[in-house]
Amino acid sequence: MTEAPEAKPIDETPKFEWAIVEIFGHRRHAGRTIEEERFGAKMLRIDVPVKGNPEQFGWQTFYYGGASIFSFVLTDEQSVMTVNKPYEPPSRQYLEDRTASRKDFEYPDDNEYED
């Protein structure tokens, strides 16, 4: 008798790819992408990290048909998070508190400068 081949467990986790996608050349999304079947057609699903921090703000999901994709560039996770991070203005430089340093300053004796 022959034994039936051992069934391999099916991996149910989706295989996402990190990418930057341009739609019709007018919209650009950076996120994790996967091909899904929706409404009887294959579509691109792209999950965009909100404010570049998905742990805190979550993901925003977009679906696009294949004909609407203008460009598809594979990238890494760090690049995707950087692209989606909101603009932060350059920090301002502040002078340190001068009142604290005056207390520690030792004034010279008046007698040192007498002739």
Side-chain angles (χ1 to χ4, degrees), residues 1 3-4 9-11 16 22 29 33 37-38 48 50 58 68-69 74 82 84 89 91 98 100-102 104 108:
M1 286 192 163
E3 293 182 18
I10 298 174
D11 187 14
F16 285 100
E22 285 189 53
H29 298 295
T33 60
E37 185 166 340
R38 305 279 281 188
V48 178
V50 178
S68 64
I69 299 171
L74 293 174
T82 303
N84 289 300
S91 62
R98 292 185 171 192
S101 63
R102 287 183 185 168
D104 298 333

Side-chain angles (χ1 to χ4, degrees), residues 8-60:
K8 294 181 182 177
I10 298 174
D11 187 14
E12 294 295 326
T13 58
K15 303 290 185 207
F16 285 100
E17 293 179 314
W18 297 100
I20 299 172
V21 181
E22 285 189 53
I23 307 300
F24 289 118
H26 299 285
R27 296 185 74 181
R28 185 176 73 165
H29 298 295
R32 58 184 189 186
T33 60
I34 193 167
E35 183 179 329
E36 285 189 1
E37 185 166 340
R38 305 279 281 188
F39 315 110
K42 294 282 187 178
M43 299 188 79
L44 169 73
R45 171 185 166 182
I46 182 161
D47 296 331
V48 178
V50 178
K51 296 183 181 179
N53 190 347
E55 289 82 25
Q56 184 177 2
F57 300 108
W59 299 88
Q60 185 175 13

Side-chain angles (χ1 to χ4, degrees), residues 49-108:
V50 178
K51 296 183 181 179
N53 190 347
E55 289 82 25
Q56 184 177 2
F57 300 108
W59 299 88
Q60 185 175 13
T61 302
F62 298 93
Y63 288 94
Y64 294 104
S68 64
I69 299 171
F70 182 73
S71 73
F72 186 89
V73 179
L74 293 174
T75 187
D76 61 344
E77 181 179 3
Q78 185 61 38
S79 298
V80 167
M81 298 305 168
T82 303
V83 167
N84 289 300
K85 188 175 180 183
Y87 174 74
E88 294 179 7
S91 62
R92 296 180 182 173
Q93 294 182 354
Y94 294 99
L95 295 175
E96 60 185 57
D97 186 14
R98 292 185 171 192
T99 57
S101 63
R102 287 183 185 168
K103 293 176 186 175
D104 298 333
F105 183 75
E106 295 181 17
Y107 291 97

